[in-house]
Amino acid sequence: NNNNNNNSQRQHVCGACGVARTAGTQHCKVCQRCVRGMDHHCPFTRGCIGESNHLHFFLFLVYATAGLGFAAWLSFAPFAQCWLTLPRPVPAPAACVYLEMFSLTFLAVLMLLVPVAFLAGCHTALLLADLSTADCLRHLRRHGTLQPLWQGLRQRRGLQPGSRLRRLVWAPSVPILALLWPQRHASAMKRRD
């Protein structure tokens, strides 16, 4: 019986970096360190997205998508007026002469908006399916299918207690929400526990 207790309390040691690893910790081959709750190594932030910064990464994607969407909406009118009205009247409208190169801002914004919105959508789906990017890609490489993602979405695993969505996004957000809506703070804290 004492032997069973020792086995359950024993921590695994990472073969690559020699650090004691707890459950849910994975070794990043790029950073050469172990990360708790690792989702993926992000080339844009040049670091690992894990338990400590997953909320910040997700909010970055959401806010970047919203901001780029707003910039696309603002820059579409000059683009449409100056470049989509063909044949172009000669002489060009005064606004087009003044905004000629700036009216192309819409194309640059659109080139950023599409991939950022795609990443935000993918990470939202992964959170709702209660999967990490690493788990999803590992399954895709081994089996050539995204079956766990579709199953997780169908079963709404991300909305269940203990899921990545609740642990990494909802729980850290509760104090922020309490500042915005103090009357709902008590009920949110009860649900959090």
Side-chain angles (χ1 to χ4, degrees), residues 2-11:
N2 192 20
N3 192 21
N4 288 343
N5 288 339
N6 289 340
N7 287 338
S8 65
Q9 294 173 355
R10 187 183 306 157
Q11 294 180 334

Side-chain angles (χ1 to χ4, degrees), residues 100-116:
E100 186 171 358
M101 291 310 294
F102 294 110
S103 64
L104 293 176
T105 302
F106 174 74
L107 295 177
V109 168
L110 196 62
M111 287 174 21
L112 290 172
L113 176 62
V114 170
V116 170

Side-chain angles (χ1 to χ4, degrees), residues 71-90:
W73 178 72
L74 287 176
S75 62
F76 180 73
F79 174 76
Q81 183 180 7
C82 297
W83 296 98
L84 295 182
T85 53
L86 296 176
R88 235 173 144 176
V90 177

Side-chain angles (χ1 to χ4, degrees), residues 47-173:
C48 290
I49 306 302
E51 188 173 283
S52 64
N53 60 356
H54 199 269
L55 170 65
H56 305 290
F57 176 75
F58 182 70
L59 288 178
F60 164 72
L61 289 177
V62 169
Y63 293 146
T65 301
L68 287 167
F70 184 64
W73 178 72
L74 287 176
S75 62
F76 180 73
F79 174 76
Q81 183 180 7
C82 297
W83 296 98
L84 295 182
T85 53
L86 296 176
R88 235 173 144 176
V90 177
C96 292
V97 171
Y98 181 71
L99 294 173
E100 186 171 358
M101 291 310 294
F102 294 110
S103 64
L104 293 176
T105 302
F106 174 74
L107 295 177
V109 168
L110 196 62
M111 287 174 21
L112 290 172
L113 176 62
V114 170
V116 170
F118 177 76
L119 283 174
C122 287
H123 280 278
T124 301
L126 287 168
L127 282 171
L128 289 173
D130 197 26
L131 286 173
S132 71
T133 304
D135 293 338
C136 193
L137 291 177
R138 190 177 305 115
H139 191 274
L140 182 63
R141 276 189 222 113
R142 287 185 186 155
H143 305 290
T145 179
L146 292 174
Q147 186 64 29
L149 177 64
W150 307 131
Q151 272 182 336
L153 286 172
R154 263 187 263 123
Q155 296 169 357
R156 294 181 178 82
R157 281 191 214 138
L159 302 176
Q160 297 171 1
S163 69
R164 294 177 68 80
L165 178 65
R166 287 196 172 196
R167 208 174 56 247
L168 301 176
V169 176
W170 174 248
S173 301

